[in-house]
Amino acid sequence: MATIYKFSNKTFRDITKERVDVVKIASGFMGGTVKVYERKGAVIIHSENKQSSHASISNENGQ
């Protein structure tokens, strides 16, 4: 069973409009709605469609 964490809305900044390149690529293979969030070098790509919800997390600082 997956663990669902509830993060504060103020924790991550929504940068979806700034990262159109990422949204275009992710929409191509994930489909549905794609949102991109950022905080202190960590980037989260979240996609959601009728069948599933998926998040990909990367951190350029390696923390």
Tab-separated table of all heavy atoms in Angstrom:
chain	number	residue	atom	x	y	z
A	1	MET	N	0.836	-1.169	0.000
A	1	MET	CA	0.000	0.000	0.000
A	1	MET	C	0.884	1.237	0.000
A	1	MET	O	1.866	1.314	0.724
A	1	MET	CB	-0.918	-0.015	1.219
A	1	MET	CG	-1.741	1.242	1.345
A	1	MET	SD	-2.828	1.152	2.765
A	1	MET	CE	-4.358	0.968	1.901
A	2	ALA	N	0.547	2.215	-0.797
A	2	ALA	CA	1.328	3.443	-0.910
A	2	ALA	C	1.081	4.352	0.290
A	2	ALA	O	-0.019	4.409	0.839
A	2	ALA	CB	0.957	4.184	-2.187
A	3	THR	N	2.128	5.041	0.695
A	3	THR	CA	2.018	6.024	1.760
A	3	THR	C	1.741	7.380	1.134
A	3	THR	O	2.445	7.789	0.210
A	3	THR	CB	3.327	6.105	2.577
A	3	THR	OG1	3.605	4.816	3.099
A	3	THR	CG2	3.203	7.106	3.696
A	4	ILE	N	0.735	8.065	1.591
A	4	ILE	CA	0.382	9.382	1.063
A	4	ILE	C	0.821	10.441	2.070
A	4	ILE	O	0.385	10.440	3.211
A	4	ILE	CB	-1.129	9.489	0.788
A	4	ILE	CG1	-1.528	8.444	-0.255
A	4	ILE	CG2	-1.491	10.893	0.334
A	4	ILE	CD1	-3.010	8.342	-0.497
A	5	TYR	N	1.728	11.316	1.618
A	5	TYR	CA	2.212	12.393	2.463
A	5	TYR	C	1.467	13.676	2.127
A	5	TYR	O	1.237	13.968	0.966
A	5	TYR	CB	3.712	12.602	2.244
A	5	TYR	CG	4.537	11.416	2.662
A	5	TYR	CD1	4.953	10.472	1.736
A	5	TYR	CD2	4.882	11.238	3.989
A	5	TYR	CE1	5.698	9.372	2.122
A	5	TYR	CE2	5.632	10.142	4.387
A	5	TYR	CZ	6.036	9.224	3.443
A	5	TYR	OH	6.771	8.143	3.838
A	6	LYS	N	1.107	14.431	3.121
A	6	LYS	CA	0.411	15.700	2.902
A	6	LYS	C	1.393	16.834	3.164
A	6	LYS	O	1.745	17.112	4.299
A	6	LYS	CB	-0.799	15.805	3.811
A	6	LYS	CG	-1.824	14.747	3.482
A	6	LYS	CD	-3.112	14.979	4.189
A	6	LYS	CE	-4.046	13.856	3.779
A	6	LYS	NZ	-5.408	14.153	3.889
A	7	PHE	N	1.841	17.466	2.076
A	7	PHE	CA	2.755	18.583	2.178
A	7	PHE	C	1.966	19.884	2.172
A	7	PHE	O	0.919	19.991	1.539
A	7	PHE	CB	3.726	18.590	0.991
A	7	PHE	CG	4.649	17.413	0.969
A	7	PHE	CD1	4.461	16.392	0.060
A	7	PHE	CD2	5.698	17.329	1.858
A	7	PHE	CE1	5.314	15.306	0.036
A	7	PHE	CE2	6.562	16.245	1.846
A	7	PHE	CZ	6.363	15.238	0.928
A	8	SER	N	2.500	20.878	2.827
A	8	SER	CA	1.883	22.203	2.826
A	8	SER	C	1.941	22.767	1.415
A	8	SER	O	2.915	22.583	0.695
A	8	SER	CB	2.651	23.125	3.782
A	8	SER	OG	2.249	24.449	3.593
A	9	ASN	N	0.904	23.483	0.995
A	9	ASN	CA	0.880	24.096	-0.329
A	9	ASN	C	1.966	25.159	-0.477
A	9	ASN	O	2.351	25.504	-1.574
A	9	ASN	CB	-0.484	24.712	-0.612
A	9	ASN	CG	-1.538	23.656	-0.835
A	9	ASN	OD1	-1.231	22.515	-1.130
A	9	ASN	ND2	-2.782	24.034	-0.681
A	10	LYS	N	2.464	25.698	0.620
A	10	LYS	CA	3.483	26.733	0.570
A	10	LYS	C	4.889	26.157	0.454
A	10	LYS	O	5.832	26.884	0.243
A	10	LYS	CB	3.381	27.612	1.818
A	10	LYS	CG	2.069	28.361	1.898
A	10	LYS	CD	1.993	29.192	3.141
A	10	LYS	CE	0.636	29.871	3.217
A	10	LYS	NZ	0.501	30.665	4.427
A	11	THR	N	5.046	24.861	0.584
A	11	THR	CA	6.359	24.238	0.561
A	11	THR	C	6.968	24.263	-0.837
A	11	THR	O	8.111	24.633	-1.005
A	11	THR	CB	6.269	22.787	1.058
A	11	THR	OG1	5.700	22.780	2.352
A	11	THR	CG2	7.628	22.150	1.113
A	12	PHE	N	6.230	23.857	-1.849
A	12	PHE	CA	6.735	23.791	-3.210
A	12	PHE	C	6.099	24.876	-4.070
A	12	PHE	O	4.918	25.135	-3.972
A	12	PHE	CB	6.433	22.416	-3.827
A	12	PHE	CG	7.213	21.311	-3.179
A	12	PHE	CD1	6.694	20.612	-2.108
A	12	PHE	CD2	8.472	20.982	-3.633
A	12	PHE	CE1	7.407	19.598	-1.503
A	12	PHE	CE2	9.201	19.970	-3.041
A	12	PHE	CZ	8.666	19.278	-1.976
A	13	ARG	N	6.916	25.478	-4.926
A	13	ARG	CA	6.449	26.539	-5.820
A	13	ARG	C	6.030	25.917	-7.144
A	13	ARG	O	6.764	25.117	-7.733
A	13	ARG	CB	7.595	27.533	-6.033
A	13	ARG	CG	7.243	28.735	-6.833
A	13	ARG	CD	8.370	29.758	-6.795
A	13	ARG	NE	9.586	29.261	-7.402
A	13	ARG	CZ	10.000	29.580	-8.625
A	13	ARG	NH1	9.307	30.416	-9.363
A	13	ARG	NH2	11.109	29.078	-9.099
A	14	ASP	N	4.853	26.276	-7.639
A	14	ASP	CA	4.349	25.769	-8.913
A	14	ASP	C	5.064	26.501	-10.048
A	14	ASP	O	4.899	27.706	-10.218
A	14	ASP	CB	2.838	25.983	-9.007
A	14	ASP	CG	2.218	25.356	-10.234
A	14	ASP	OD1	2.956	24.970	-11.163
A	14	ASP	OD2	0.984	25.265	-10.269
A	15	ILE	N	5.886	25.772	-10.816
A	15	ILE	CA	6.630	26.374	-11.929
A	15	ILE	C	6.192	25.790	-13.274
A	15	ILE	O	6.944	25.817	-14.242
A	15	ILE	CB	8.153	26.211	-11.733
A	15	ILE	CG1	8.554	24.738	-11.650
A	15	ILE	CG2	8.636	26.996	-10.530
A	15	ILE	CD1	10.048	24.503	-11.745
A	16	THR	N	4.980	25.306	-13.333
A	16	THR	CA	4.468	24.664	-14.546
A	16	THR	C	4.553	25.601	-15.752
A	16	THR	O	5.001	25.204	-16.826
A	16	THR	CB	3.018	24.201	-14.338
A	16	THR	OG1	2.979	23.327	-13.209
A	16	THR	CG2	2.487	23.471	-15.551
A	17	LYS	N	4.153	26.849	-15.581
A	17	LYS	CA	4.159	27.803	-16.706
A	17	LYS	C	5.578	28.150	-17.149
A	17	LYS	O	5.795	28.485	-18.306
A	17	LYS	CB	3.413	29.075	-16.320
A	17	LYS	CG	1.925	28.855	-16.170
A	17	LYS	CD	1.199	30.132	-15.833
A	17	LYS	CE	-0.288	29.873	-15.664
A	17	LYS	NZ	-1.016	31.097	-15.317
A	18	GLU	N	6.541	28.054	-16.247
A	18	GLU	CA	7.927	28.353	-16.582
A	18	GLU	C	8.619	27.184	-17.270
A	18	GLU	O	9.625	27.371	-17.945
A	18	GLU	CB	8.710	28.707	-15.315
A	18	GLU	CG	8.184	29.928	-14.595
A	18	GLU	CD	8.792	30.082	-13.217
A	18	GLU	OE1	9.898	29.555	-12.980
A	18	GLU	OE2	8.157	30.728	-12.376
A	19	ARG	N	8.138	25.972	-17.082
A	19	ARG	CA	8.773	24.768	-17.622
A	19	ARG	C	7.892	24.084	-18.665
A	19	ARG	O	7.592	22.910	-18.578
A	19	ARG	CB	9.100	23.795	-16.490
A	19	ARG	CG	10.089	24.327	-15.471
A	19	ARG	CD	11.433	24.733	-16.095
A	19	ARG	NE	12.047	23.725	-16.903
A	19	ARG	CZ	13.014	22.907	-16.477
A	19	ARG	NH1	13.467	23.017	-15.266
A	19	ARG	NH2	13.510	22.011	-17.289
A	20	VAL	N	7.524	24.841	-19.676
A	20	VAL	CA	6.681	24.314	-20.758
A	20	VAL	C	7.383	23.153	-21.456
A	20	VAL	O	6.723	22.198	-21.891
A	20	VAL	CB	6.341	25.438	-21.761
A	20	VAL	CG1	5.531	24.915	-22.928
A	20	VAL	CG2	5.597	26.561	-21.061
A	21	ASP	N	8.712	23.188	-21.532
A	21	ASP	CA	9.464	22.108	-22.168
A	21	ASP	C	9.247	20.787	-21.443
A	21	ASP	O	9.018	19.750	-22.067
A	21	ASP	CB	10.953	22.448	-22.225
A	21	ASP	CG	11.545	22.770	-20.850
A	21	ASP	OD1	10.798	23.205	-19.951
A	21	ASP	OD2	12.771	22.599	-20.685
A	22	VAL	N	9.285	20.801	-20.119
A	22	VAL	CA	9.082	19.588	-19.324
A	22	VAL	C	7.639	19.096	-19.464
A	22	VAL	O	7.400	17.900	-19.625
A	22	VAL	CB	9.421	19.850	-17.839
A	22	VAL	CG1	9.064	18.650	-16.978
A	22	VAL	CG2	10.884	20.216	-17.687
A	23	VAL	N	6.691	20.019	-19.418
A	23	VAL	CA	5.271	19.656	-19.543
A	23	VAL	C	5.012	19.004	-20.891
A	23	VAL	O	4.310	17.986	-20.978
A	23	VAL	CB	4.362	20.891	-19.340
A	23	VAL	CG1	2.911	20.550	-19.633
A	23	VAL	CG2	4.506	21.439	-17.930
A	24	LYS	N	5.600	19.547	-21.944
A	24	LYS	CA	5.388	18.994	-23.285
A	24	LYS	C	5.920	17.561	-23.381
A	24	LYS	O	5.251	16.671	-23.896
A	24	LYS	CB	6.072	19.878	-24.323
A	24	LYS	CG	5.837	19.457	-25.743
A	24	LYS	CD	6.457	20.427	-26.716
A	24	LYS	CE	6.220	19.989	-28.140
A	24	LYS	NZ	6.802	20.920	-29.112
A	25	ILE	N	7.113	17.326	-22.856
A	25	ILE	CA	7.706	15.985	-22.906
A	25	ILE	C	6.913	15.009	-22.039
A	25	ILE	O	6.583	13.908	-22.464
A	25	ILE	CB	9.182	16.033	-22.460
A	25	ILE	CG1	10.004	16.796	-23.484
A	25	ILE	CG2	9.732	14.622	-22.263
A	25	ILE	CD1	11.400	17.141	-23.029
A	26	ALA	N	6.604	15.423	-20.799
A	26	ALA	CA	5.885	14.536	-19.878
A	26	ALA	C	4.481	14.223	-20.376
A	26	ALA	O	4.004	13.106	-20.220
A	26	ALA	CB	5.826	15.167	-18.490
A	27	SER	N	3.822	15.192	-20.988
A	27	SER	CA	2.470	14.962	-21.519
A	27	SER	C	2.487	13.927	-22.634
A	27	SER	O	1.530	13.176	-22.796
A	27	SER	CB	1.871	16.263	-22.052
A	27	SER	OG	1.663	17.173	-21.014
A	28	GLY	N	3.584	13.888	-23.374
A	28	GLY	CA	3.700	12.958	-24.492
A	28	GLY	C	3.676	11.504	-24.073
A	28	GLY	O	3.087	10.667	-24.746
A	29	PHE	N	4.314	11.166	-22.945
A	29	PHE	CA	4.339	9.762	-22.546
A	29	PHE	C	3.552	9.470	-21.276
A	29	PHE	O	3.256	8.328	-20.986
A	29	PHE	CB	5.774	9.224	-22.432
A	29	PHE	CG	6.606	9.838	-21.352
A	29	PHE	CD1	6.614	9.307	-20.080
A	29	PHE	CD2	7.385	10.943	-21.614
A	29	PHE	CE1	7.388	9.862	-19.084
A	29	PHE	CE2	8.169	11.507	-20.621
A	29	PHE	CZ	8.174	10.963	-19.359
A	30	MET	N	3.188	10.484	-20.497
A	30	MET	CA	2.390	10.249	-19.293
A	30	MET	C	0.913	10.556	-19.532
A	30	MET	O	0.051	9.944	-18.940
A	30	MET	CB	2.898	11.108	-18.125
A	30	MET	CG	4.258	10.720	-17.627
A	30	MET	SD	4.712	11.789	-16.264
A	30	MET	CE	6.334	11.199	-15.891
A	31	GLY	N	0.644	11.531	-20.382
A	31	GLY	CA	-0.725	11.922	-20.672
A	31	GLY	C	-1.384	12.627	-19.503
A	31	GLY	O	-0.792	12.798	-18.447
A	32	GLY	N	-2.591	13.068	-19.681
A	32	GLY	CA	-3.339	13.723	-18.616
A	32	GLY	C	-2.804	15.099	-18.277
A	32	GLY	O	-2.185	15.773	-19.086
A	33	THR	N	-3.031	15.520	-17.048
A	33	THR	CA	-2.604	16.818	-16.550
A	33	THR	C	-1.212	16.702	-15.948
A	33	THR	O	-0.964	15.830	-15.122
A	33	THR	CB	-3.583	17.326	-15.468
A	33	THR	OG1	-4.894	17.349	-16.017
A	33	THR	CG2	-3.206	18.703	-14.986
A	34	VAL	N	-0.310	17.595	-16.342
A	34	VAL	CA	1.055	17.579	-15.821
A	34	VAL	C	1.329	18.896	-15.109
A	34	VAL	O	1.065	19.962	-15.653
A	34	VAL	CB	2.089	17.371	-16.951
A	34	VAL	CG1	3.506	17.450	-16.415
A	34	VAL	CG2	1.855	16.044	-17.644
A	35	LYS	N	1.853	18.822	-13.896
A	35	LYS	CA	2.236	19.994	-13.109
A	35	LYS	C	3.692	19.831	-12.692
A	35	LYS	O	4.142	18.712	-12.443
A	35	LYS	CB	1.376	20.133	-11.854
A	35	LYS	CG	-0.112	20.257	-12.115
A	35	LYS	CD	-0.466	21.595	-12.703
A	35	LYS	CE	-0.785	22.566	-11.602
A	35	LYS	NZ	-1.148	23.886	-12.056
A	36	VAL	N	4.420	20.948	-12.601
A	36	VAL	CA	5.822	20.919	-12.200
A	36	VAL	C	5.979	21.832	-10.985
A	36	VAL	O	5.520	22.972	-10.982
A	36	VAL	CB	6.751	21.396	-13.341
A	36	VAL	CG1	8.211	21.275	-12.937
A	36	VAL	CG2	6.485	20.612	-14.615
A	37	TYR	N	6.641	21.307	-9.938
A	37	TYR	CA	6.864	22.053	-8.698
A	37	TYR	C	8.354	22.080	-8.385
A	37	TYR	O	9.084	21.172	-8.771
A	37	TYR	CB	6.120	21.399	-7.532
A	37	TYR	CG	4.642	21.263	-7.759
A	37	TYR	CD1	4.101	20.086	-8.260
A	37	TYR	CD2	3.779	22.315	-7.489
A	37	TYR	CE1	2.736	19.960	-8.485
A	37	TYR	CE2	2.413	22.199	-7.703
A	37	TYR	CZ	1.907	21.019	-8.196
A	37	TYR	OH	0.564	20.899	-8.415
A	38	GLU	N	8.793	23.124	-7.640
A	38	GLU	CA	10.206	23.267	-7.320
A	38	GLU	C	10.380	23.802	-5.912
A	38	GLU	O	9.591	24.598	-5.427
A	38	GLU	CB	10.846	24.234	-8.316
A	38	GLU	CG	12.327	24.451	-8.156
A	38	GLU	CD	12.687	25.597	-7.230
A	38	GLU	OE1	11.873	26.516	-7.035
A	38	GLU	OE2	13.777	25.547	-6.673
A	39	ARG	N	11.446	23.320	-5.262
A	39	ARG	CA	11.839	23.854	-3.952
A	39	ARG	C	13.295	23.506	-3.703
A	39	ARG	O	13.661	22.334	-3.685
A	39	ARG	CB	10.990	23.278	-2.832
A	39	ARG	CG	11.394	23.842	-1.469
A	39	ARG	CD	10.483	23.341	-0.373
A	39	ARG	NE	10.767	24.029	0.859
A	39	ARG	CZ	11.561	23.545	1.819
A	39	ARG	NH1	12.127	22.382	1.675
A	39	ARG	NH2	11.765	24.240	2.914
A	40	LYS	N	14.118	24.520	-3.543
A	40	LYS	CA	15.535	24.367	-3.191
A	40	LYS	C	16.265	23.341	-4.055
A	40	LYS	O	16.953	22.454	-3.558
A	40	LYS	CB	15.687	23.999	-1.717
A	40	LYS	CG	15.213	25.065	-0.764
A	40	LYS	CD	15.461	24.654	0.660
A	40	LYS	CE	14.979	25.733	1.620
A	40	LYS	NZ	15.202	25.358	3.021
A	41	GLY	N	16.096	23.416	-5.354
A	41	GLY	CA	16.790	22.509	-6.269
A	41	GLY	C	16.083	21.204	-6.550
A	41	GLY	O	16.453	20.482	-7.470
A	42	ALA	N	15.073	20.862	-5.770
A	42	ALA	CA	14.296	19.643	-6.019
A	42	ALA	C	13.137	19.967	-6.954
A	42	ALA	O	12.455	20.968	-6.776
A	42	ALA	CB	13.761	19.067	-4.719
A	43	VAL	N	12.957	19.132	-7.964
A	43	VAL	CA	11.880	19.335	-8.932
A	43	VAL	C	10.969	18.112	-8.895
A	43	VAL	O	11.423	16.973	-8.912
A	43	VAL	CB	12.448	19.523	-10.359
A	43	VAL	CG1	11.318	19.649	-11.369
A	43	VAL	CG2	13.345	20.742	-10.417
A	44	ILE	N	9.665	18.376	-8.835
A	44	ILE	CA	8.664	17.306	-8.846
A	44	ILE	C	7.801	17.480	-10.082
A	44	ILE	O	7.251	18.563	-10.313
A	44	ILE	CB	7.781	17.344	-7.590
A	44	ILE	CG1	8.635	17.129	-6.352
A	44	ILE	CG2	6.663	16.308	-7.678
A	44	ILE	CD1	7.887	17.278	-5.056
A	45	ILE	N	7.698	16.418	-10.868
A	45	ILE	CA	6.800	16.396	-12.021
A	45	ILE	C	5.650	15.474	-11.645
A	45	ILE	O	5.851	14.293	-11.379
A	45	ILE	CB	7.509	15.875	-13.282
A	45	ILE	CG1	8.736	16.724	-13.584
A	45	ILE	CG2	6.544	15.857	-14.462
A	45	ILE	CD1	9.645	16.131	-14.635
A	46	HIS	N	4.445	16.019	-11.609
A	46	HIS	CA	3.271	15.243	-11.208
A	46	HIS	C	2.301	15.155	-12.382
A	46	HIS	O	1.918	16.171	-12.965
A	46	HIS	CB	2.575	15.907	-10.019
A	46	HIS	CG	1.345	15.176	-9.592
A	46	HIS	ND1	0.084	15.646	-9.849
A	46	HIS	CD2	1.191	13.989	-8.959
A	46	HIS	CE1	-0.801	14.784	-9.367
A	46	HIS	NE2	-0.150	13.771	-8.826
A	47	SER	N	1.950	13.939	-12.753
A	47	SER	CA	0.968	13.746	-13.822
A	47	SER	C	-0.204	12.949	-13.277
A	47	SER	O	-0.036	12.076	-12.424
A	47	SER	CB	1.588	13.024	-15.014
A	47	SER	OG	1.908	11.706	-14.670
A	48	GLU	N	-1.364	13.274	-13.793
A	48	GLU	CA	-2.576	12.606	-13.333
A	48	GLU	C	-3.539	12.456	-14.504
A	48	GLU	O	-3.758	13.390	-15.266
A	48	GLU	CB	-3.210	13.430	-12.219
A	48	GLU	CG	-4.346	12.756	-11.509
A	48	GLU	CD	-4.764	13.514	-10.263
A	48	GLU	OE1	-4.457	14.703	-10.142
A	48	GLU	OE2	-5.421	12.892	-9.427
A	49	ASN	N	-4.064	11.249	-14.647
A	49	ASN	CA	-5.108	11.012	-15.637
A	49	ASN	C	-6.197	10.165	-14.997
A	49	ASN	O	-6.160	9.925	-13.796
A	49	ASN	CB	-4.532	10.368	-16.913
A	49	ASN	CG	-3.869	9.033	-16.654
A	49	ASN	OD1	-4.267	8.283	-15.768
A	49	ASN	ND2	-2.842	8.732	-17.432
A	50	LYS	N	-7.138	9.681	-15.778
A	50	LYS	CA	-8.269	8.935	-15.219
A	50	LYS	C	-7.856	7.624	-14.567
A	50	LYS	O	-8.480	7.171	-13.617
A	50	LYS	CB	-9.304	8.656	-16.310
A	50	LYS	CG	-10.003	9.895	-16.789
A	50	LYS	CD	-11.000	9.581	-17.875
A	50	LYS	CE	-11.667	10.861	-18.357
A	50	LYS	NZ	-12.604	10.614	-19.437
A	51	GLN	N	-6.766	6.997	-15.060
A	51	GLN	CA	-6.352	5.696	-14.539
A	51	GLN	C	-5.302	5.767	-13.432
A	51	GLN	O	-5.202	4.856	-12.623
A	51	GLN	CB	-5.791	4.810	-15.662
A	51	GLN	CG	-6.816	4.332	-16.642
A	51	GLN	CD	-6.898	5.236	-17.867
A	51	GLN	OE1	-6.030	6.051	-18.097
A	51	GLN	NE2	-7.953	5.105	-18.637
A	52	SER	N	-4.489	6.822	-13.416
A	52	SER	CA	-3.378	6.829	-12.457
A	52	SER	C	-2.903	8.232	-12.107
A	52	SER	O	-3.269	9.213	-12.747
A	52	SER	CB	-2.202	6.033	-13.020
A	52	SER	OG	-1.677	6.692	-14.154
A	53	SER	N	-2.048	8.263	-11.092
A	53	SER	CA	-1.379	9.481	-10.658
A	53	SER	C	0.082	9.111	-10.436
A	53	SER	O	0.384	8.097	-9.803
A	53	SER	CB	-2.013	9.991	-9.364
A	53	SER	OG	-1.369	11.157	-8.921
A	54	HIS	N	1.010	9.917	-10.971
A	54	HIS	CA	2.426	9.576	-10.893
A	54	HIS	C	3.239	10.831	-10.575
A	54	HIS	O	2.955	11.909	-11.076
A	54	HIS	CB	2.897	9.005	-12.227
A	54	HIS	CG	4.349	8.681	-12.272
A	54	HIS	ND1	4.857	7.526	-11.732
A	54	HIS	CD2	5.414	9.374	-12.741
A	54	HIS	CE1	6.167	7.514	-11.897
A	54	HIS	NE2	6.523	8.630	-12.501
A	55	ALA	N	4.268	10.693	-9.728
A	55	ALA	CA	5.173	11.789	-9.419
A	55	ALA	C	6.608	11.328	-9.634
A	55	ALA	O	6.969	10.211	-9.295
A	55	ALA	CB	4.995	12.257	-7.998
A	56	SER	N	7.396	12.196	-10.227
A	56	SER	CA	8.814	11.947	-10.432
A	56	SER	C	9.577	13.054	-9.719
A	56	SER	O	9.295	14.232	-9.918
A	56	SER	CB	9.130	11.950	-11.925
A	56	SER	OG	10.513	11.803	-12.126
A	57	ILE	N	10.551	12.690	-8.889
A	57	ILE	CA	11.292	13.666	-8.104
A	57	ILE	C	12.762	13.610	-8.474
A	57	ILE	O	13.352	12.532	-8.548
A	57	ILE	CB	11.139	13.365	-6.585
A	57	ILE	CG1	9.665	13.362	-6.209
A	57	ILE	CG2	11.917	14.388	-5.764
A	57	ILE	CD1	9.407	12.878	-4.808
A	58	SER	N	13.352	14.781	-8.717
A	58	SER	CA	14.787	14.841	-8.963
A	58	SER	C	15.380	16.011	-8.180
A	58	SER	O	14.710	17.005	-7.917
A	58	SER	CB	15.079	15.000	-10.455
A	58	SER	OG	14.612	16.250	-10.912
A	59	ASN	N	16.649	15.863	-7.798
A	59	ASN	CA	17.317	16.896	-7.036
A	59	ASN	C	18.732	17.040	-7.584
A	59	ASN	O	19.552	16.127	-7.444
A	59	ASN	CB	17.346	16.542	-5.551
A	59	ASN	CG	17.879	17.657	-4.703
A	59	ASN	OD1	18.632	18.506	-5.158
A	59	ASN	ND2	17.494	17.658	-3.450
A	60	GLU	N	19.037	18.180	-8.173
A	60	GLU	CA	20.355	18.392	-8.765
A	60	GLU	C	21.456	18.471	-7.715
A	60	GLU	O	22.618	18.272	-8.010
A	60	GLU	CB	20.355	19.658	-9.618
A	60	GLU	CG	20.084	20.925	-8.834
A	60	GLU	CD	19.942	22.155	-9.706
A	60	GLU	OE1	19.655	22.010	-10.906
A	60	GLU	OE2	20.111	23.255	-9.171
A	61	ASN	N	21.093	18.740	-6.462
A	61	ASN	CA	22.077	18.831	-5.380
A	61	ASN	C	22.381	17.476	-4.749
A	61	ASN	O	23.294	17.362	-3.942
A	61	ASN	CB	21.594	19.790	-4.295
A	61	ASN	CG	21.392	21.185	-4.815
A	61	ASN	OD1	22.130	21.639	-5.692
A	61	ASN	ND2	20.407	21.889	-4.304
A	62	GLY	N	21.590	16.463	-5.071
A	62	GLY	CA	21.809	15.125	-4.542
A	62	GLY	C	21.463	14.969	-3.060
A	62	GLY	O	21.953	14.083	-2.386
A	63	GLN	N	20.636	15.836	-2.551
A	63	GLN	CA	20.259	15.766	-1.129
A	63	GLN	C	18.940	15.060	-0.951
A	63	GLN	O	18.054	15.179	-1.727
A	63	GLN	CB	20.166	17.170	-0.539
A	63	GLN	CG	21.470	17.905	-0.615
A	63	GLN	CD	21.345	19.347	-0.157
A	63	GLN	OE1	20.251	19.817	0.105
A	63	GLN	NE2	22.445	20.031	-0.077
